[in-house]
């Protein structure tokens, strides 16, 4: 598997994201296959079912859990990468600051799913644009210290 990832330029580019290893890059590459299928990068999160289920009727608007209908391998790989970023990572990045904010507000379990969705969006945008990751420039709405 490592030989396949080492030869594939897309997978090598995807592995430049913090805590996205060879399994995550290969699973994401195999699942998405063609990045131009999605008009917006945030649609990838819905494709992998990393967004909450909604129930709306009249004035009722409830958010539920993820329904787990998307590709299981890619969703699990992204979830594990998000878990690694939440627990093991000590290096500062804008993504890490954002996830700590989410974890304080909503709890660790929801923060893992939110970071997994954010990783999917970042990976898709990198693949579609053809750029590598710069950990200090990951777009999360958090100001990066100079």
């Amino acid at each position: 598997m490592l030989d396949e990832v080492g030869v594939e330029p897309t997978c090598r580019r995807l592995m430049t994201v913090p805590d996205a290893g060879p399994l995550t890059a290969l699973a994401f590459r195999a699942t998405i296959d063609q990045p131009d299928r999605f008009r917006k990068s945030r649609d990838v999160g819905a494709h992998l079912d990393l967004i909450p289920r909604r129930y709306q009727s009249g004035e009722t608007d409830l958010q539920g859990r993820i329904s787990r209908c998307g590709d299981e391998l890619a969703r699990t790989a992204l979830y594990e990468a998000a878990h690694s970023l939440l627990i093991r990572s000590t290096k500062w990045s804008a993504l890490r600051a954002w996830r700590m904010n989410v974890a304080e507000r909503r709890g660790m379990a929801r923060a893992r799913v939110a970071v997994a969705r954010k990783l999917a969006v970042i990976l898709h945008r990198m693949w579609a644009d053809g750029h590598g990751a710069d950990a200090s420039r990951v777009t999360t709405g958090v100001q990066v210290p100079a």
Side-chain angles (χ1 to χ4, degrees), residues 3-139:
D3 295 336
E4 178 74 26
V5 173
V7 176
E8 177 69 35
T10 303
C11 290
R12 284 197 324 241
R13 188 178 324 120
L14 295 178
M15 287 184 349
T16 61
V17 172
D19 292 317
L23 181 63
T24 304
L26 197 58
F28 189 79
R29 165 82 170 81
T31 300
I32 301 304
D33 194 35
Q34 296 175 340
D36 55 342
R37 288 192 306 162
F38 301 98
R39 266 192 7 216
K40 297 182 249 177
S41 291
R42 68 179 180 193
D43 294 342
V44 174
H47 177 72
L48 295 173
D49 198 40
L50 289 168
I51 58 172
R53 182 186 289 184
R54 294 195 81 118
Y55 172 76
Q56 294 177 324
S57 175
E59 294 180 10
T60 304
D61 185 11
L62 301 174
Q63 281 190 346
R65 60 177 180 80
I66 61 171
S67 63
R68 301 187 181 123
C69 291
D71 185 69
E72 183 178 3
L73 178 64
R75 187 176 56 248
T76 302
L78 287 167
Y79 185 85
E80 291 297 325
H83 179 74
S84 175
L85 189 66
L86 280 166
I87 302 300
R88 296 178 185 258
S89 179
T90 57
K91 186 176 177 184
W92 190 93
S93 70
L95 185 60
R96 185 169 192 263
W98 179 80
R99 60 100 175 151
M100 291 303 284
N101 219 355
V102 173
E104 287 175 8
R105 284 180 309 180
R106 304 291 290 173
M108 287 296 274
R110 289 188 181 184
R112 281 188 201 108
V113 174
V115 171
R117 185 196 63 78
K118 178 80 72 180
L119 279 173
V121 170
I122 291 168
L123 290 173
H124 178 265
R125 182 58 18 212
M126 283 176 46
W127 188 4
D129 289 347
H131 299 306
D134 180 5
S136 65
R137 287 183 50 235
V138 174
T139 312

